[in-house]
């Protein structure tokens, strides 16, 4: 799996470039500790996809939907999920069948309901470097 360290601006550039090349249907999962930059990266990916709305964390709503020229983008934050069974209440199966771009923060909290992503991203703080994040990514066809 490739891995690199990024400043906030460089991470946003990387995310915009990723978003520009994503095509539906695609599932992108994001893992990382609190404050590691997951929402910042989602905002950049959404910008690259052509989302013009303000992209905010759906921590309390759990899911936000955005329109793009390529179709819908669904942004989920599973941090507040009590258990994986709640995925059904979010309309998860419908989202997977809809064929848009799905961006899922805290994907590990969805358990087995979250299939293998086409793009799996993991962010981490770089010890001793508050200005850097380590991004590890894996892409599957």
């Amino acid at each position: 799996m490739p891995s690199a360290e990024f400043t906030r601006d460089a991470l946003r550039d990387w995310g915009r470039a990723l978003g520009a090349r994503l095509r539906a249907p695609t599932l992108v999962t994001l893992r990382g500790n609190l404050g590691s930059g997951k929402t910042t990266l989602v905002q950049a990916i959404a910008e690259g996809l052509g989302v013009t709305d303000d992209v905010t964390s759906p921590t309390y709503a759990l899911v936000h939907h955005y329109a793009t020229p390529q179709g819908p983008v669904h942004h989920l934050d599973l941090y507040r999920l009590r258990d994986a069974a709640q995925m059904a209440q979010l309309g998860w199966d419908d989202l997977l069948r809809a064929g848009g771009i799905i961006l899922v923060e805290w994907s590990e909290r969805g358990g087995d309901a979250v299939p293998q992503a086409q793009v799996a991203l993991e962010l981490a703080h770089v010890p001793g470097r508050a200005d850097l994040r380590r991004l590890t990514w894996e892409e599957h066809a």
Side-chain angles (χ1 to χ4, degrees), residues 39 42-43 53-59 63-64 66 75 77 105:
T39 300
V42 165
Q43 290 167 335
D53 296 328
D54 286 337
V55 175
T56 58
S57 177
T59 301
V63 61
H64 287 162
Y66 303 97
H75 176 200
D77 183 331
E105 295 184 50

Side-chain angles (χ1 to χ4, degrees), residues 6 9-19 41 121 135 137:
F6 293 91
D9 289 342
L11 184 63
R12 290 189 64 81
D13 290 344
W14 190 93
R16 279 190 291 274
L18 173 63
L41 187 52
L121 307 173
L135 173 64
W137 64 94

Side-chain angles (χ1 to χ4, degrees), residues 16-113:
R16 279 190 291 274
L18 173 63
R21 65 182 177 83
L22 291 178
R23 296 296 173 260
T26 299
L27 172 62
V28 178
T29 57
L30 297 97
R31 295 177 181 216
N33 292 332
L34 284 171
S36 61
K38 294 178 299 297
T39 300
T40 296
L41 187 52
V42 165
Q43 290 167 335
I45 293 168
E47 186 179 329
L49 284 164
V51 173
T52 57
D53 296 328
D54 286 337
V55 175
T56 58
S57 177
T59 301
Y60 295 101
L62 300 180
V63 61
H64 287 162
H65 306 280
Y66 303 97
T68 73
Q70 293 103 324
V73 173
H74 311 286
H75 176 200
L76 291 86
D77 183 331
L78 305 183
Y79 181 75
R80 294 184 58 241
L81 244 55
R82 289 185 305 279
D83 57 58
Q86 285 186 286
M87 294 293 286
Q89 296 170 351
L90 294 175
W92 177 245
D93 291 335
D94 293 335
L95 290 177
L96 288 175
R97 281 191 295 273
I101 305 286
I102 304 173
L103 308 169
V104 185
E105 295 184 50
W106 296 97
S107 58
E108 65 274 19
R109 296 194 180 215
D112 291 340

